Amino acid sequence: MHIARALGGEQERRKKVVFLGTPDVAAGVLEDLIQASRTDSFDIAAVVTQPGRPKGRRNKGVPQPSPVQVCALEHGIHEDAIFCPVKASEKEFISAMKDISPDLCVTAAYGNYLPTSFLDIPVHGTLNIHPSLLPLYRGAAPVQRSLEDGVTTTGVSVLFTVKAMDAGPILAQREYSVADDVQAPELLDTLFRIGTETLVECLPSVWSGDAERLCVAQDESKATHAAKLERSEAQLDFSASARVCHNKVRGFAGWPGTHHPFRVVKIDSGVEDVADIKVLRTRVRAEPVAEDIHQQLEQGKVVFNGSDAMMVMCGQGEILEILELQNPGKKATNAQAFQNGLAGKALYVSK
């Protein structure tokens, strides 16, 4: 970490900040920083993001700019001040950063490793917004894994970047209570916005050089890892408790999502098919059901509760209520509309 005390007269000029980020949540951070810069003492001198990638079938392999790049251009940042290195260690990129000579770099979901040759450039170091209460949930998917674990309190950390992943000294943290129905995309956006507000509040201590004194080292003995989500993890296991399934739906919402195969049986003929249905939103049923309904659920039948959910029996005798779902090749729908489309058919959980 490279943090230098401000030199005499430095506070009289506007500070140069370089922002590094890539996905939609990072674009939200950039937008908030640009807004804050209008009334604060810094400017966004440059934006760094990952190279564009093909997105969707219609693009036919044509790389599309990242959300952060799109945001930067929409806010008038000149294309010459937007950098998209494959690796942050590229000599040309490092040279360009040295020419800019930033006072501070800020990262939010950038997604590339930052080498020492980069970290040594900014006068006051590099601050990272990380959506967890570090040292808990270091890694690529802190929000997703914390929801999967069913945490009721999480938060955001503003920390200085060091070579080890998410291991730098913490400048500030904010706690946040997690609602039982909140899902990963919503919580990600919320935590990054809180993190941006927190970072901006910390800037006076950064410019003065006091941040180095205010930082707190992480307790390595309490560190946990939030591994990247894999598509192979996306299938729900209804032998687990309803709570475990519900938390997985919340954590995996957006990408890769969750799914489970169901048997679709024609009532008059007994002919059946299997549909791998995406499960988009759920809740854990708190009230008991009638004995006949409970027996049907135990036999693997899916039962609709007559209002807004379809019920599935899970492990420990718990019932998961599926509120929103999506048939293969169809649009997402609520449970009631899904039931209407099942006229003459019954639905069973595939083993």
mmCIF file of all heavy atoms in Angstrom, residues 4-34:
data_model
loop_
_atom_site.group_PDB
_atom_site.id
_atom_site.type_symbol
_atom_site.label_atom_id
_atom_site.label_comp_id
_atom_site.label_asym_id
_atom_site.label_seq_id
_atom_site.Cartn_x
_atom_site.Cartn_y
_atom_site.Cartn_z
ATOM 1 N N ALA A 4 0.580 8.516 0.886
ATOM 2 C CA ALA A 4 1.493 9.615 1.198
ATOM 3 C C ALA A 4 0.728 10.772 1.813
ATOM 4 O O ALA A 4 -0.408 11.056 1.452
ATOM 5 C CB ALA A 4 2.204 10.085 -0.072
ATOM 6 N N ARG A 5 1.350 11.430 2.763
ATOM 7 C CA ARG A 5 0.740 12.612 3.376
ATOM 8 C C ARG A 5 0.761 13.758 2.366
ATOM 9 O O ARG A 5 1.702 13.935 1.598
ATOM 10 C CB ARG A 5 1.507 12.977 4.646
ATOM 11 C CG ARG A 5 0.872 14.125 5.409
ATOM 12 C CD ARG A 5 1.463 14.229 6.799
ATOM 13 N NE ARG A 5 1.179 13.040 7.579
ATOM 14 C CZ ARG A 5 0.039 12.842 8.238
ATOM 15 N NH1 ARG A 5 -0.908 13.749 8.199
ATOM 16 N NH2 ARG A 5 -0.137 11.743 8.952
ATOM 17 N N ALA A 6 -0.329 14.502 2.352
ATOM 18 C CA ALA A 6 -0.467 15.586 1.385
ATOM 19 C C ALA A 6 0.658 16.591 1.538
ATOM 20 O O ALA A 6 1.059 16.947 2.634
ATOM 21 C CB ALA A 6 -1.825 16.288 1.578
ATOM 22 N N LEU A 7 1.158 17.050 0.405
ATOM 23 C CA LEU A 7 2.222 18.052 0.400
ATOM 24 C C LEU A 7 1.613 19.443 0.537
ATOM 25 O O LEU A 7 0.421 19.657 0.285
ATOM 26 C CB LEU A 7 2.996 17.947 -0.913
ATOM 27 C CG LEU A 7 3.686 16.576 -1.162
ATOM 28 C CD1 LEU A 7 4.321 16.576 -2.536
ATOM 29 C CD2 LEU A 7 4.728 16.296 -0.089
ATOM 30 N N GLY A 8 2.401 20.375 0.964
ATOM 31 C CA GLY A 8 1.938 21.748 1.121
ATOM 32 C C GLY A 8 1.365 22.294 -0.164
ATOM 33 O O GLY A 8 1.950 22.155 -1.221
ATOM 34 N N GLY A 9 0.181 22.866 -0.073
ATOM 35 C CA GLY A 9 -0.466 23.446 -1.237
ATOM 36 C C GLY A 9 -1.279 22.479 -2.045
ATOM 37 O O GLY A 9 -2.025 22.884 -2.928
ATOM 38 N N GLU A 10 -1.162 21.148 -1.748
ATOM 39 C CA GLU A 10 -1.865 20.163 -2.568
ATOM 40 C C GLU A 10 -3.369 20.276 -2.403
ATOM 41 O O GLU A 10 -4.128 20.059 -3.338
ATOM 42 C CB GLU A 10 -1.399 18.755 -2.183
ATOM 43 C CG GLU A 10 -1.970 17.670 -3.071
ATOM 44 C CD GLU A 10 -1.516 16.289 -2.653
ATOM 45 O OE1 GLU A 10 -0.772 16.170 -1.670
ATOM 46 O OE2 GLU A 10 -1.919 15.330 -3.335
ATOM 47 N N GLN A 11 -3.820 20.654 -1.216
ATOM 48 C CA GLN A 11 -5.241 20.733 -0.970
ATOM 49 C C GLN A 11 -5.902 21.884 -1.727
ATOM 50 O O GLN A 11 -7.115 21.971 -1.780
ATOM 51 C CB GLN A 11 -5.491 20.859 0.528
ATOM 52 C CG GLN A 11 -5.094 19.607 1.304
ATOM 53 C CD GLN A 11 -5.401 19.733 2.785
ATOM 54 O OE1 GLN A 11 -5.677 20.832 3.264
ATOM 55 N NE2 GLN A 11 -5.334 18.627 3.504
ATOM 56 N N GLU A 12 -5.092 22.754 -2.317
ATOM 57 C CA GLU A 12 -5.646 23.882 -3.049
ATOM 58 C C GLU A 12 -6.079 23.490 -4.454
ATOM 59 O O GLU A 12 -6.783 24.238 -5.106
ATOM 60 C CB GLU A 12 -4.623 25.019 -3.108
ATOM 61 C CG GLU A 12 -4.264 25.569 -1.728
ATOM 62 C CD GLU A 12 -3.190 26.622 -1.804
ATOM 63 O OE1 GLU A 12 -2.761 26.956 -2.944
ATOM 64 O OE2 GLU A 12 -2.763 27.124 -0.752
ATOM 65 N N ARG A 13 -5.644 22.347 -4.934
ATOM 66 C CA ARG A 13 -6.045 21.920 -6.279
ATOM 67 C C ARG A 13 -7.021 20.756 -6.165
ATOM 68 O O ARG A 13 -7.104 20.086 -5.145
ATOM 69 C CB ARG A 13 -4.827 21.492 -7.095
ATOM 70 C CG ARG A 13 -4.132 20.238 -6.578
ATOM 71 C CD ARG A 13 -3.058 19.767 -7.545
ATOM 72 N NE ARG A 13 -2.357 18.603 -7.041
ATOM 73 C CZ ARG A 13 -2.811 17.352 -7.133
ATOM 74 N NH1 ARG A 13 -3.983 17.119 -7.686
ATOM 75 N NH2 ARG A 13 -2.105 16.339 -6.651
ATOM 76 N N ARG A 14 -7.773 20.516 -7.233
ATOM 77 C CA ARG A 14 -8.705 19.392 -7.259
ATOM 78 C C ARG A 14 -7.929 18.087 -7.448
ATOM 79 O O ARG A 14 -7.002 18.021 -8.244
ATOM 80 C CB ARG A 14 -9.734 19.587 -8.373
ATOM 81 C CG ARG A 14 -10.663 20.770 -8.092
ATOM 82 C CD ARG A 14 -11.699 20.932 -9.191
ATOM 83 N NE ARG A 14 -12.634 19.806 -9.260
ATOM 84 C CZ ARG A 14 -13.680 19.656 -8.443
ATOM 85 N NH1 ARG A 14 -13.898 20.547 -7.475
ATOM 86 N NH2 ARG A 14 -14.493 18.638 -8.581
ATOM 87 N N LYS A 15 -8.323 17.097 -6.703
ATOM 88 C CA LYS A 15 -7.629 15.803 -6.740
ATOM 89 C C LYS A 15 -8.070 15.010 -7.961
ATOM 90 O O LYS A 15 -9.207 15.135 -8.435
ATOM 91 C CB LYS A 15 -7.915 15.005 -5.463
ATOM 92 C CG LYS A 15 -7.644 15.778 -4.172
ATOM 93 C CD LYS A 15 -6.187 16.194 -4.063
ATOM 94 C CE LYS A 15 -5.896 16.791 -2.697
ATOM 95 N NZ LYS A 15 -6.601 18.077 -2.464
ATOM 96 N N LYS A 16 -7.166 14.184 -8.443
ATOM 97 C CA LYS A 16 -7.439 13.332 -9.599
ATOM 98 C C LYS A 16 -7.732 11.908 -9.119
ATOM 99 O O LYS A 16 -6.884 11.285 -8.474
ATOM 100 C CB LYS A 16 -6.262 13.343 -10.568
ATOM 101 C CG LYS A 16 -6.049 14.683 -11.249
ATOM 102 C CD LYS A 16 -4.906 14.650 -12.243
ATOM 103 C CE LYS A 16 -3.561 14.546 -11.555
ATOM 104 N NZ LYS A 16 -2.434 14.603 -12.516
ATOM 105 N N VAL A 17 -8.919 11.420 -9.445
ATOM 106 C CA VAL A 17 -9.333 10.072 -9.056
ATOM 107 C C VAL A 17 -9.494 9.217 -10.310
ATOM 108 O O VAL A 17 -10.124 9.641 -11.285
ATOM 109 C CB VAL A 17 -10.664 10.098 -8.267
ATOM 110 C CG1 VAL A 17 -11.188 8.682 -8.019
ATOM 111 C CG2 VAL A 17 -10.474 10.838 -6.944
ATOM 112 N N VAL A 18 -8.942 8.019 -10.283
ATOM 113 C CA VAL A 18 -9.139 7.046 -11.348
ATOM 114 C C VAL A 18 -10.075 5.963 -10.821
ATOM 115 O O VAL A 18 -9.845 5.390 -9.752
ATOM 116 C CB VAL A 18 -7.803 6.424 -11.803
ATOM 117 C CG1 VAL A 18 -8.051 5.247 -12.755
ATOM 118 C CG2 VAL A 18 -6.937 7.466 -12.489
ATOM 119 N N PHE A 19 -11.134 5.698 -11.564
ATOM 120 C CA PHE A 19 -12.111 4.690 -11.149
ATOM 121 C C PHE A 19 -11.937 3.409 -11.951
ATOM 122 O O PHE A 19 -11.773 3.450 -13.175
ATOM 123 C CB PHE A 19 -13.540 5.203 -11.334
ATOM 124 C CG PHE A 19 -14.582 4.166 -10.988
ATOM 125 C CD1 PHE A 19 -14.861 3.873 -9.657
ATOM 126 C CD2 PHE A 19 -15.252 3.467 -11.981
ATOM 127 C CE1 PHE A 19 -15.796 2.904 -9.329
ATOM 128 C CE2 PHE A 19 -16.194 2.508 -11.660
ATOM 129 C CZ PHE A 19 -16.462 2.219 -10.329
ATOM 130 N N LEU A 20 -12.008 2.265 -11.257
ATOM 131 C CA LEU A 20 -11.898 0.962 -11.905
ATOM 132 C C LEU A 20 -13.116 0.114 -11.550
ATOM 133 O O LEU A 20 -13.407 -0.116 -10.378
ATOM 134 C CB LEU A 20 -10.633 0.220 -11.462
ATOM 135 C CG LEU A 20 -9.278 0.879 -11.740
ATOM 136 C CD1 LEU A 20 -8.857 1.777 -10.570
ATOM 137 C CD2 LEU A 20 -8.211 -0.181 -11.991
ATOM 138 N N GLY A 21 -13.861 -0.341 -12.549
ATOM 139 C CA GLY A 21 -15.028 -1.189 -12.333
ATOM 140 C C GLY A 21 -15.540 -1.706 -13.659
ATOM 141 O O GLY A 21 -15.119 -1.234 -14.723
ATOM 142 N N THR A 22 -16.458 -2.668 -13.614
ATOM 143 C CA THR A 22 -16.916 -3.280 -14.857
ATOM 144 C C THR A 22 -18.432 -3.463 -14.962
ATOM 145 O O THR A 22 -19.025 -2.958 -15.905
ATOM 146 C CB THR A 22 -16.203 -4.632 -15.080
ATOM 147 O OG1 THR A 22 -14.784 -4.405 -15.156
ATOM 148 C CG2 THR A 22 -16.663 -5.283 -16.382
ATOM 149 N N PRO A 23 -19.121 -4.185 -14.041
ATOM 150 C CA PRO A 23 -20.536 -4.513 -14.258
ATOM 151 C C PRO A 23 -21.487 -3.380 -13.897
ATOM 152 O O PRO A 23 -21.065 -2.263 -13.560
ATOM 153 C CB PRO A 23 -20.743 -5.728 -13.341
ATOM 154 C CG PRO A 23 -19.797 -5.478 -12.205
ATOM 155 C CD PRO A 23 -18.600 -4.791 -12.808
ATOM 156 N N ASP A 24 -22.781 -3.687 -13.941
ATOM 157 C CA ASP A 24 -23.821 -2.680 -13.683
ATOM 158 C C ASP A 24 -23.672 -2.023 -12.317
ATOM 159 O O ASP A 24 -23.832 -0.800 -12.198
ATOM 160 C CB ASP A 24 -25.206 -3.332 -13.790
ATOM 161 C CG ASP A 24 -25.602 -3.624 -15.231
ATOM 162 O OD1 ASP A 24 -25.343 -2.766 -16.090
ATOM 163 O OD2 ASP A 24 -26.166 -4.691 -15.489
ATOM 164 N N VAL A 25 -23.400 -2.817 -11.278
ATOM 165 C CA VAL A 25 -23.287 -2.224 -9.941
ATOM 166 C C VAL A 25 -22.125 -1.241 -9.878
ATOM 167 O O VAL A 25 -22.199 -0.225 -9.182
ATOM 168 C CB VAL A 25 -23.131 -3.297 -8.847
ATOM 169 C CG1 VAL A 25 -24.424 -4.059 -8.648
ATOM 170 C CG2 VAL A 25 -21.975 -4.239 -9.137
ATOM 171 N N ALA A 26 -21.061 -1.523 -10.615
ATOM 172 C CA ALA A 26 -19.923 -0.600 -10.649
ATOM 173 C C ALA A 26 -20.275 0.670 -11.418
ATOM 174 O O ALA A 26 -19.791 1.761 -11.087
ATOM 175 C CB ALA A 26 -18.712 -1.282 -11.276
ATOM 176 N N ALA A 27 -21.112 0.539 -12.431
ATOM 177 C CA ALA A 27 -21.567 1.731 -13.156
ATOM 178 C C ALA A 27 -22.361 2.642 -12.228
ATOM 179 O O ALA A 27 -22.256 3.872 -12.312
ATOM 180 C CB ALA A 27 -22.421 1.314 -14.358
ATOM 181 N N GLY A 28 -23.129 2.044 -11.316
ATOM 182 C CA GLY A 28 -23.839 2.847 -10.327
ATOM 183 C C GLY A 28 -22.893 3.591 -9.414
ATOM 184 O O GLY A 28 -23.133 4.751 -9.053
ATOM 185 N N VAL A 29 -21.796 2.940 -9.032
ATOM 186 C CA VAL A 29 -20.780 3.595 -8.193
ATOM 187 C C VAL A 29 -20.157 4.767 -8.946
ATOM 188 O O VAL A 29 -20.000 5.867 -8.396
ATOM 189 C CB VAL A 29 -19.694 2.593 -7.766
ATOM 190 C CG1 VAL A 29 -18.560 3.320 -7.029
ATOM 191 C CG2 VAL A 29 -20.287 1.506 -6.877
ATOM 192 N N LEU A 30 -19.789 4.537 -10.202
ATOM 193 C CA LEU A 30 -19.187 5.609 -11.004
ATOM 194 C C LEU A 30 -20.134 6.795 -11.120
ATOM 195 O O LEU A 30 -19.725 7.957 -10.969
ATOM 196 C CB LEU A 30 -18.825 5.078 -12.394
ATOM 197 C CG LEU A 30 -18.300 6.117 -13.391
ATOM 198 C CD1 LEU A 30 -17.040 6.797 -12.870
ATOM 199 C CD2 LEU A 30 -18.040 5.468 -14.753
ATOM 200 N N GLU A 31 -21.404 6.509 -11.365
ATOM 201 C CA GLU A 31 -22.382 7.595 -11.489
ATOM 202 C C GLU A 31 -22.467 8.402 -10.197
ATOM 203 O O GLU A 31 -22.514 9.649 -10.230
ATOM 204 C CB GLU A 31 -23.743 6.998 -11.845
ATOM 205 C CG GLU A 31 -24.770 8.023 -12.253
ATOM 206 C CD GLU A 31 -25.977 7.399 -12.928
ATOM 207 O OE1 GLU A 31 -25.948 6.195 -13.241
ATOM 208 O OE2 GLU A 31 -26.959 8.144 -13.123
ATOM 209 N N ASP A 32 -22.477 7.709 -9.057
ATOM 210 C CA ASP A 32 -22.533 8.410 -7.773
ATOM 211 C C ASP A 32 -21.268 9.227 -7.510
ATOM 212 O O ASP A 32 -21.330 10.324 -6.938
ATOM 213 C CB ASP A 32 -22.750 7.407 -6.646
ATOM 214 C CG ASP A 32 -24.159 6.829 -6.644
ATOM 215 O OD1 ASP A 32 -25.016 7.338 -7.386
ATOM 216 O OD2 ASP A 32 -24.398 5.841 -5.912
ATOM 217 N N LEU A 33 -20.115 8.703 -7.919
ATOM 218 C CA LEU A 33 -18.865 9.442 -7.741
ATOM 219 C C LEU A 33 -18.826 10.689 -8.625
ATOM 220 O O LEU A 33 -18.352 11.751 -8.199
ATOM 221 C CB LEU A 33 -17.670 8.543 -8.058
ATOM 222 C CG LEU A 33 -17.317 7.485 -7.016
ATOM 223 C CD1 LEU A 33 -16.185 6.598 -7.528
ATOM 224 C CD2 LEU A 33 -16.910 8.136 -5.694
ATOM 225 N N ILE A 34 -19.317 10.553 -9.840
ATOM 226 C CA ILE A 34 -19.372 11.720 -10.727
ATOM 227 C C ILE A 34 -20.274 12.791 -10.119
ATOM 228 O O ILE A 34 -19.941 13.987 -10.131
ATOM 229 C CB ILE A 34 -19.869 11.305 -12.134
ATOM 230 C CG1 ILE A 34 -18.815 10.442 -12.833
ATOM 231 C CG2 ILE A 34 -20.191 12.537 -12.977
ATOM 232 C CD1 ILE A 34 -19.289 9.819 -14.135
#
